[in-house]
Amino acid sequence: MVKKIIKNLTTTFRVNKSYKQWPGLIKAYKKWLPVNDSTPIITLQEGGTPLLELKSINEIIGKNVKVYAKYDGLNPTGSFKDRGMTMAISKAKEEGCEAVICASTGNTSAAAAAYAKKGHMRSYVLIPDGYVAQGKLAQALVYGAEVLAIKGNFDKALEIVQALSEKYPITLVNSVNPYRLEGQKTAAFEIIDYLGEAPDWLCIPMGNAGNISAYWMGFNQYFKAGLSKKLPKMMGFQAEGSAPLVIGKTVKNPDTIATAIRIGNPVNKEKANIVKEESKGKFTSVTDNEIINAYKLLGNKEGIFCEPASASSVAGLIKLKNEIPNNSVIVCVLTGNGLKDPDCAIKNNDAVFKSGIDPDLNKVAENMGF
Ligand SMILES: *Cc1c(COP(=O)(O)O)cnc(C)c1O
């Protein structure tokens, strides 16, 4: 009798068998990637992230426009960097490498550290002292990276790691590593696979501008294979105090609340300018204030907690509202998870937070407004 009940329960409540576990992006998109059967696949099952419709943004824009967020903050280490890192680390492993190095504003170091450990390698990360969000630093430490904080900004750190990787037997996993962009291009595949067509606009934050270049590569590959009929306009956004690609020259002392894109001399600047030209896109800057407004809006209207750098894609879209053609389909890339930067969240929100309340039903009710 009991046995029968248990059997009924398990058959009733077992997960729908047609939902298999997402295998990670290398397995999912193998034929589009430079891997072969002997490549060891180092994966944390990254990719396959949600594409969420943003109804509150649709309303702000009107014109029958549909806006989606590609929520890449839901990757295993909380940013899109995992897409590139699964490729870079798998290829490094294939080539027999034992240690990797990167310069990072935080997310690259978290991803490099996690994937290096998964592949039984050492990882070294150089970060700008005092300018890495708490969550990201915590991750690099927990994943067992060897963390070196330098008294200089990201651009200086990158210069040093590039030289180190030429001098010592250690693989550089910054976005100058071509495998990073190969992995990251799969986000464009996922968007087309879901929508059935490329969007009209892709809105994306730019730091080193590797990701915008990777998306463009992905959109082009599907387009050439006949899997989409159009190519999106690539709309890149930077923070006003750190906008070398918008003003067309290096920024010596970049400054913004969006630390993930606090980069004054993007390594992929030539690539990015080609993307802008080929796609007939546009690069625009947004103020920290506009970034924070979009950040709050995503949180309290959509239930999406992203990091400030990510919110620049939505801030930028809102800024360009008047230029959006009617009936457009737009995807904003949300590059990283809000939990990465708790300090920013606690300083920038419109929440009701009352503390020091007596543990008493009436007192609590009173504070609730009853
Ligand atoms: C790395 C990063 C970016 C910038 O990406 P690039 O490829 O350097 O342009 C944007 N947002 C977040 C959260 C990042 O981690």
Side-chain angles (χ1 to χ4, degrees):
M1 172 72 177
V2 172
K3 245 189 188 161
K4 196 169 168 210
I5 292 173
I6 290 176
K7 189 162 178 275
N8 283 342
L9 279 175
T10 50
T11 44
T12 313
F13 292 110
R14 188 175 283 159
V15 167
N16 184 337
K17 274 193 183 152
S18 63
Y19 292 104
K20 295 216 174 79
Q21 229 192 145
W22 171 260
L25 62 85
I26 297 182
K27 283 188 186 141
Y29 291 110
K30 201 165 177 186
K31 69 169 196 172
W32 301 89
L33 294 167
V35 292
N36 55 55
D37 290 339
S38 61
T39 309
I41 299 176
I42 315 295
T43 180
L44 292 163
Q45 292 171 230
E46 58 296 309
T49 55
L51 193 65
L52 300 169
E53 195 177 340
L54 303 176
K55 295 238 165 84
S56 61
I57 312 287
N58 294 348
E59 270 168 36
I60 291 174
I61 292 170
K63 306 193 245 190
N64 198 28
V65 167
K66 256 196 177 165
V67 182
Y68 294 88
K70 181 63 173 157
Y71 193 10
D72 248 5
L74 289 188
N75 274 297
T77 79
S79 86
F80 77 85
K81 299 297 197 298
D82 293 345
R83 292 182 181 273
M85 213 50 80
T86 184
M87 273 301 298
I89 299 287
S90 296
K91 294 303 281 187
K93 190 77 184 169
E94 184 179 342
E95 287 153 16
C97 142
E98 287 169 7
V100 298
I101 192 166
C102 66
S104 179
T105 59
N107 283 333
T108 301
S109 64
Y115 285 80
K117 284 300 146 139
K118 184 83 187 184
H120 309 293
M121 288 178 222
R122 293 177 74 164
S123 63
Y124 298 90
V125 303
L126 256 74
I127 56 171
D129 206 351
Y131 287 95
V132 167
Q134 285 286 315
K136 305 177 187 181
L137 181 58
Q139 287 180 291
L141 298 172
V142 167
Y143 297 139
E146 292 166 52
V147 180
L148 307 158
I150 64 156
K151 293 186 236 156
N153 61 22
F154 169 86
D155 303 286
K156 187 72 202 166
L158 183 64
E159 243 176 77
I160 296 171
V161 296
Q162 279 184 304
L164 280 170
S165 70
E166 278 161 29
K167 197 160 173 213
Y168 299 100
I170 186 162
T171 302
L172 183 65
V173 292
N174 277 103
S175 59
V176 284
N177 178 320
Y179 299 123
R180 284 272 310 276
L181 303 196
E182 289 287 337
Q184 288 169 209
K185 77 183 177 190
T186 58
F189 296 165
E190 289 174 18
I191 290 171
I192 296 175
D193 285 343
Y194 180 77
L195 294 176
E197 181 52 277
D200 297 294
W201 283 17
L202 185 93
C203 298
I204 185 168
M206 297 185 298
N208 268 312
N211 211 24
I212 193 170
S213 312
Y215 268 87
W216 187 238
M217 175 161 60
F219 284 127
N220 272 280
Q221 289 183 358
Y222 258 33
F223 179 73
K224 284 182 189 138
L227 295 171
S228 65
K229 292 193 184 59
K230 61 184 178 198
L231 286 162
K233 280 193 196 311
M234 302 295 280
M235 312 301 273
F237 299 100
Q238 298 199 292
E240 197 173 79
S242 178
L245 294 166
V246 179
I247 63 173
K249 58 172 199 271
T250 299
V251 175
K252 276 241 168 59
N253 296 303
D255 184 30
T256 169
I257 193 167
T259 52
I261 51 171
R262 186 175 167 271
I263 291 169
N265 187 18
V267 287
N268 297 296
K269 57 176 171 257
E270 279 88 20
K271 274 200 190 113
N273 284 323
I274 294 171
V275 171
K276 182 174 77 172
E277 219 180 276
E278 287 183 353
S279 75
K280 302 182 181 69
K282 184 172 181 173
F283 294 169
T284 307
S285 65
V286 284
T287 63
D288 279 7
N289 211 4
E290 288 166 328
I291 289 175
I292 290 302
N293 285 339
Y295 171 84
K296 288 188 195 167
L297 199 134
L298 285 164
N300 68 31
K301 291 275 197 293
E302 296 290 344
I304 296 177
F305 188 19
C306 67
E307 56 176 294
S310 311
S312 68
S313 63
V314 172
L317 176 67
I318 294 171
K319 191 164 195 163
L320 299 182
K321 187 176 148 181
N322 295 333
E323 299 176 29
I324 305 170
N326 291 348
N327 309 312
S328 298
V329 173
I330 295 174
V331 173
C332 294
V333 182
L334 298 184
T335 46
N337 196 302
L339 290 169
K340 297 266 190 180
D341 195 347
D343 295 328
C344 175
I346 287 166
K347 280 188 208 131
N348 298 286
N349 64 76
D350 304 324
V352 178
F353 178 52
K354 298 178 180 169
S355 61
I357 300 166
D358 288 332
D360 170 84
L361 186 144
N362 292 326
K363 281 275 159 27
V364 174
E366 203 175 288
N367 275 284
M368 290 166 74
F370 290 115

